[in-house]
Amino acid sequence: MRIPITRNALAVALALALPFGLVACKQAATDAPSAGAETATAATSSDQLSETARLNAWFDEQYEEQLQFSPIQLTFLGRKDLYDQIDDVSDAGIRKQAAWLQASVAEMEAGFDRSKLGLEAQLSWNLWKKQSELAQAGLQFLGNGYPFNQMFGMQSRAPTFIINFHKVDEEKDYVAYVSRLRKFGVAFDQLLERARASSANGIRPPKFAYEGVIEQSRKVIGGAPFDDGADSALWADAQAKADALAKDGKISDERAAELKDEARKALLE
């Protein structure tokens, strides 16, 4: 996993490299490099390629480890790892991720020689370390945010995610779907705990943000099976995904009815 370089970063790198390249060209026209210099340059280049390759392979491993903190992100990537899980959004969960990232940077600094890395790998190094520094610095302000507001929050993210991103191709995917419906209750409890702690310290969103969150929340739990109205978006999705499995011959109609009943209970409970 190579941490991408922005256009600005590339522009700066090229701007810095160009004058030195011009000097090198002028020197080459007057002074032919010795065989010893060529050998030293080749050795240096080889060292850079080797250390850079090692670091990039290590970044791939770190990226996979980091993804394990976010089952939701794995699903966004089209993967079904931890398909029945959701993210730990508690204070403790956030601090655990920050501690892991800090330990990862310490491992990087102990296991690799930055001076032997190519330019792109050095930038990846810097960005990885900066992410950790920002995460550590942000912990002191953890209670200053708004877990729920009208722009984003679990009240809108949960239904959008489960409907649009949790794909059900097999019966086990639907079982995971029901598991996630149940686990969203845990996530809401974690976020409510954070919101109450912030509120106790005088950190509260403006009134219009509350109004937006309340309106969005009521829309999610409006309709069947929550009341006598038309099917809610969540219930309609739960039924459609079970019916699709039955239509494709993946499960029987009886099993589809059982799965829908489990989803209904998960929504109501």
Side-chain angles (χ1 to χ4, degrees):
M1 186 274 296
R2 296 172 178 81
I3 299 178
I5 302 178
T6 64
R7 292 184 178 180
N8 287 341
L10 278 174
V12 171
L14 289 172
L16 291 173
L18 185 57
F20 294 105
L22 292 174
V23 170
C25 289
K26 291 178 181 178
Q27 289 177 336
T30 55
D31 301 314
S34 65
E38 288 181 348
T39 301
T41 300
T44 300
S45 179
S46 177
D47 288 344
Q48 280 191 356
L49 289 173
S50 175
E51 193 72 350
T52 294
R54 281 205 319 121
L55 182 66
N56 285 335
W58 181 83
F59 272 137
D60 287 340
E61 296 173 358
Q62 296 304 291
Y63 181 57
E64 282 299 316
E65 283 189 32
Q66 191 177 42
L67 280 175
Q68 302 308 302
F69 285 106
S70 181
I72 289 178
Q73 181 62 24
L74 282 166
T75 302
F76 282 147
L77 293 173
R79 293 170 51 172
K80 292 187 177 181
D81 316 37
L82 307 177
Y83 213 42
D84 61 344
Q85 305 293 315
I86 61 170
D87 298 13
D88 182 350
V89 292
S90 66
D91 274 12
I94 294 171
R95 293 182 185 281
K96 183 179 180 179
Q97 291 186 55
W100 173 87
L101 188 54
Q102 188 176 45
S104 175
V105 170
E107 180 181 329
M108 177 180 70
E109 292 179 329
F112 300 91
D113 186 343
R114 187 181 181 281
S115 66
K116 292 182 179 180
L117 297 172
L119 181 62
E120 182 179 345
Q122 288 184 1
L123 182 56
S124 295
W125 172 297
N126 294 344
L127 290 173
W128 193 245
K129 185 172 182 178
K130 177 57 70 174
Q131 285 184 45
S132 177
E133 291 171 350
L134 291 174
Q136 291 300 315
L139 291 178
Q140 62 182 312
F141 305 108
L142 198 54
N144 290 16
Y146 308 141
F148 303 97
N149 63 62
Q150 82 286 7
M151 299 299 292
F152 59 86
M154 195 62 76
Q155 80 283 350
S156 58
R157 187 184 186 195
T160 298
F161 168 77
I162 203 72
I163 292 171
N164 296 324
F165 292 94
H166 187 106
K167 305 302 180 184
V168 173
D169 302 310
E170 306 289 342
E171 180 180 349
K172 63 181 181 180
D173 298 338
Y174 198 96
V175 173
Y177 175 92
V178 173
S179 176
R180 276 181 157 167
L181 287 177
R182 294 187 181 281
K183 286 183 170 66
F184 274 122
V186 176
F188 275 109
D189 286 342
Q190 292 172 339
L191 292 171
L192 285 167
E193 182 178 351
R194 288 172 53 190
R196 293 188 184 104
S198 296
S199 181
N201 290 324
I203 306 297
R204 304 181 186 90
K207 181 180 178 181
F208 65 80
Y210 282 108
E211 292 171 344
V213 171
I214 291 171
E215 181 183 5
Q216 292 167 4
S217 301
R218 284 176 173 161
K219 287 180 178 178
V220 172
I221 60 172
F226 309 106
D227 58 37
D228 296 330
D231 289 348
S232 66
L234 282 171
W235 180 227
D237 181 65
Q239 294 180 90
K241 284 174 176 172
D243 290 340
L245 287 178
K247 182 180 179 181
D248 293 341
K250 302 290 182 64
I251 58 174
S252 65
D253 290 338
E254 292 75 17
R255 180 55 177 157
E258 292 173 356
L259 291 174
K260 284 188 279 188
D261 187 54
E262 289 299 312
R264 182 178 180 278
K265 289 178 181 177
L267 290 171
L268 291 175
E269 295 171 6

